[in-house]
Amino acid sequence: MMLFEEGFEKIIGYAHPLGTERVDLLHAITRTLADDVCSDISMPPFNKSAMDGYACRIVDIKNLLQVIEEIPAGTVPAKKIGVNQCARIMTGAMVPEGADMVVMKEYIEKIGPDHILCTPENSNTNICYLGEDVKAGEQVLKKGDFITPAHVAILASVGGVDPLVYNKPTVAILSTGDELMEPDEIPGISKIRNSNSFQLLAQTQQLGVTPEYLGIVPDDEVLLKNMLEMALEKFQVILISGGVSVGDFDFVPKILKQLDVNIHVHGMEVKPGKHLLFGERANHFVFGLPGNPVSSFVQFEVLVKPFLMAMMGNSATKSCLYLPLEEDYVRKKGDQLFFVPVTITGQGTVLPVEYHGSAHIHAYTRAQGIMEIPKGVFILKKGEIACVRPL
Ligand code: AMP
Ligand code: MG
């Protein structure tokens, strides 16, 4: 059986960006830039006061200063600051010519209606200088950047109102299993609620993708084949929950083969999610996720998510925090890579949460990360460094 790392490399090797489009700024969040972005202006665009106070010359700071004008934000100063002069200035306003300092209003004493004295506490100039953050023409964002709220702020400040971004894949999600009922139903005897579809829909939505839900398909070869035939035509990525392991009613691998899907991965030395399947037909991709809720949850996080991110123009490197264990971690079998739900303590150490196995998805409501226990490792001692993928 394949190592998880081999499976990962193989699967990511099939991910490719899907072309580009322009979106307006309101829809740029969670997209990935397909082009570098340069600033059309310097930031700040003028010498700007960082404080409410008085703009003056440093050399005059110990003298009695005459207040010659008031400069609100958004206005242009009318006068130049001369010897022993100052201007009342607001935060964000343009520093007048001649001034090289803004004295905070908290550090002045008013002497009559038009004069002030500065108290000795002043040290900063309290000026944000023209271009100190960004120079006009400078590259501020780069192709491949995943757009977060901070990126949106930069796009807005450089006038990047319609950034070029990579397209999102069309994604369909379905669950198979005769035991499944939808969440709004009360399960009869021997039935369970379909949680995986909604979990996968939510995980996909978190990436900024809008998936389509195709419902529950029974363990019926004909119905499953019809559904997958349609899905393979219509969607670029299909996530199937259940029916991929070795049971008599696990029809997914057989049907995918009948539909000419090339199966590149089926089974890896990993827990949970050993029977994960990945296949491709003419640039349409299928993930068969084992039906156990934790298997589908974890395999989405560690495999499907990097794949979808790569399809949207991001690098597919895994993001791990390397953190020390709060206490010893021991397991009985070490024959496969093991993913464990953990919390991260206030001290930055890792603590596994109570976890009963692949059906115990509830454990992940309390987890902040997924810890990796490498194949062959039985014990991690307190203080040893573990790789934790943040959730
Ligand atoms: P399977 O991968 O189809 O063999 O299913 C493995 C286990 O996961 C069984 O206990 C199923 O009842 C459970 N399971 C399968 N599909 C779902 C689903 N959509 N939601 C919740 N549990 C599921
Ligand atoms: Mg099943």
Side-chain angles (χ1 to χ4, degrees):
M1 204 178 266
M2 205 181 271
L3 289 173
F4 172 79
E5 292 77 6
E6 279 175 68
F8 179 87
E9 291 303 327
K10 229 176 186 180
I11 291 170
I12 292 303
Y14 283 92
H16 58 87
L18 298 161
T20 60
E21 64 175 328
R22 289 203 175 270
V23 289
D24 67 60
L25 207 42
L26 283 174
H27 297 100
I29 189 76
T30 75
R31 305 300 295 265
T32 300
L33 282 172
D35 208 357
D36 297 339
V37 176
C38 296
S39 181
D40 62 341
I41 53 167
S42 291
M43 288 190 287
F46 48 84
N47 289 337
K48 197 169 78 171
S49 177
M51 296 291 171
D52 292 315
Y54 291 83
C56 64
R57 303 175 347 137
I58 293 172
V59 289
D60 297 337
I61 192 97
K62 295 203 170 85
N63 306 340
L64 181 70
L65 302 179
Q66 183 201 359
V67 184
I68 59 169
E69 74 166 320
E70 186 177 81
I71 314 168
T75 60
V76 180
K79 296 176 184 166
K80 182 176 171 180
I81 302 297
V83 180
N84 292 335
Q85 290 183 330
C86 68
R88 204 163 129 70
I89 191 165
M90 312 302 147
T91 303
M94 196 169 180
V95 175
E97 218 184 307
D100 52 10
M101 170 173 207
V102 173
V103 180
M104 287 167 67
K105 64 187 291 195
E106 291 85 342
Y107 296 146
I108 67 104
E109 191 187 330
K110 281 195 170 152
I111 311 288
D114 296 326
H115 287 83
I116 60 160
L117 265 179
C118 302
T119 53
E121 282 86 348
N122 303 291
S123 56
N124 289 339
T125 64
N126 296 317
I127 297 173
C128 308
Y129 293 99
L130 165 70
E132 76 175 10
D133 298 337
V134 173
K135 309 251 177 316
E138 192 178 320
Q139 183 182 317
V140 283
L141 300 174
K142 61 178 191 309
K143 179 177 170 170
D145 278 356
F146 183 73
I147 300 175
T148 68
H151 292 76
V152 173
I154 293 298
L155 286 166
S157 50
V158 305
V161 291
D162 58 350
L164 188 72
V165 297
Y166 288 106
N167 287 332
K168 298 188 224 181
T170 51
V171 177
I173 291 168
L174 63 115
S175 284
T176 74
D178 282 345
E179 74 277 38
L180 301 178
M181 303 188 74
E182 291 298 18
D184 59 353
E185 298 170 314
I186 296 172
I189 296 168
S190 84
K191 305 283 182 189
I192 59 164
R193 285 198 174 105
N194 168 24
S195 59
N196 290 356
S197 286
F198 294 90
Q199 164 215 302
L200 292 168
L201 288 160
Q203 284 173 303
T204 307
Q205 283 168 330
Q206 257 187 352
L207 307 181
V209 174
T210 309
E212 191 155 324
Y213 177 43
L214 302 182
I216 297 170
V217 184
D219 290 319
D220 176 295
E221 291 191 57
V222 175
L223 293 176
L224 196 54
K225 189 171 179 182
N226 290 344
M227 178 64 94
L228 291 177
E229 194 158 27
M230 180 282 292
L232 276 161
E233 289 296 324
K234 199 168 159 205
F235 299 96
Q236 287 156 323
V237 180
I238 302 155
L239 308 183
I240 308 166
S241 150
V244 283
S245 38
V246 292
D248 292 346
F249 299 100
D250 290 329
F251 298 129
V252 171
K254 178 178 162 190
I255 288 167
L256 289 175
K257 280 180 203 149
Q258 286 172 10
L259 293 170
D260 296 325
V261 173
N262 300 304
I263 294 175
H264 299 293
V265 175
H266 190 196
M268 292 179 295
E269 292 179 354
V270 61
K271 193 176 176 176
K274 179 176 166 184
H275 294 288
L276 179 122
L277 177 151
F278 171 79
E280 152 272 341
R281 190 183 84 179
N283 281 331
H284 292 243
F285 303 99
V286 183
F287 284 87
L289 296 145
N292 266 311
V294 181
S295 306
S296 71
F297 180 87
V298 168
Q299 290 301 326
F300 183 96
E301 291 297 320
V302 300
L303 268 182
V304 182
K305 181 172 167 177
F307 181 85
L308 290 175
M309 292 299 278
M311 293 282 281
M312 294 189 284
N314 299 273
S315 70
T317 47
K318 79 174 184 193
S319 59
C320 258
L321 299 173
Y322 292 93
L323 300 171
L325 273 157
E326 174 65 23
E327 52 188 44
D328 289 358
Y329 182 85
V330 185
R331 63 170 171 158
K332 290 197 190 83
K333 281 169 75 182
D335 57 346
Q336 48 201 353
L337 170 66
F338 190 30
F339 289 115
V340 184
V342 294
T343 54
I344 299 168
T345 67
Q347 287 67 44
T349 56
V350 184
L351 197 58
V353 301
E354 188 183 332
Y355 174 58
H356 310 147
S358 325
H360 191 197
I361 189 65
H362 196 192
Y364 271 92
T365 62
R366 294 186 291 263
Q368 293 160 323
I370 308 176
M371 177 169 72
E372 277 188 32
I373 314 287
K375 184 185 170 189
V377 172
F378 290 83
I379 178 161
L380 285 173
K381 297 294 264 182
K382 175 180 177 176
E384 253 187 85
I385 302 297
C387 159
V388 177
R389 296 158 192 260
L391 286 169

